[in-house]
Amino acid sequence: MTNQPTENCPRFHDRMIQSMNVSFHKYGPVREAYPHKVNAIASLEKRLRLYKETGNADYLVDIANFSMIEFMLPAHEKYHDKPTDGGEGRY
């Protein structure tokens, strides 16, 4: 039996928190930049492209954080929070 989590990854969450803390010290509070100075969706799309090109997992942390920022301070004109079962818009 393994101690590895199967549905959650504390290490990933820790990396997200560390990254957000570094960003706070470099750039200031999130609310001062989003959504009026920086576009979280465009930023996460760029990081996804970079992850696909390089395989660097650090970009996955950035993607998660930009997703969280969009969730906290939405810029999308149709933003809403309606839970889904994952079956909508299957790819």
Side-chain angles (χ1 to χ4, degrees):
M1 188 147 145
T2 178
N3 285 335
Q4 293 293 340
T6 61
E7 306 305 319
N8 204 338
C9 183
R11 181 171 165 244
F12 186 76
H13 290 275
D14 289 344
R15 290 276 300 272
M16 287 178 63
I17 292 166
Q18 291 168 5
S19 178
M20 290 300 291
N21 288 339
V22 168
S23 292
F24 173 80
H25 290 291
K26 287 171 77 173
Y27 308 113
V30 169
R31 291 190 184 281
E32 291 181 8
Y34 299 92
H36 49 281
K37 290 183 183 177
V38 180
N39 184 312
I41 295 171
S43 296
L44 74 85
E45 289 173 335
K46 177 181 179 182
R47 296 326 187 277
L48 180 57
R49 181 181 51 77
L50 290 168
Y51 173 70
K52 288 178 177 181
E53 290 173 8
T54 69
N56 184 346
D58 194 54
Y59 292 123
L60 296 175
V61 174
D62 289 345
I63 292 164
N65 281 336
F66 284 121
S67 296
M68 179 181 68
I69 291 166
E70 177 65 19
F71 184 89
M72 293 168 34
L73 302 165
H76 194 290
E77 64 277 355
K78 294 181 182 179
Y79 175 86
H80 62 283
D81 185 7
K82 178 184 174 193
T84 65
D85 67 2
E88 297 80 9
R90 291 187 181 230
Y91 47 93

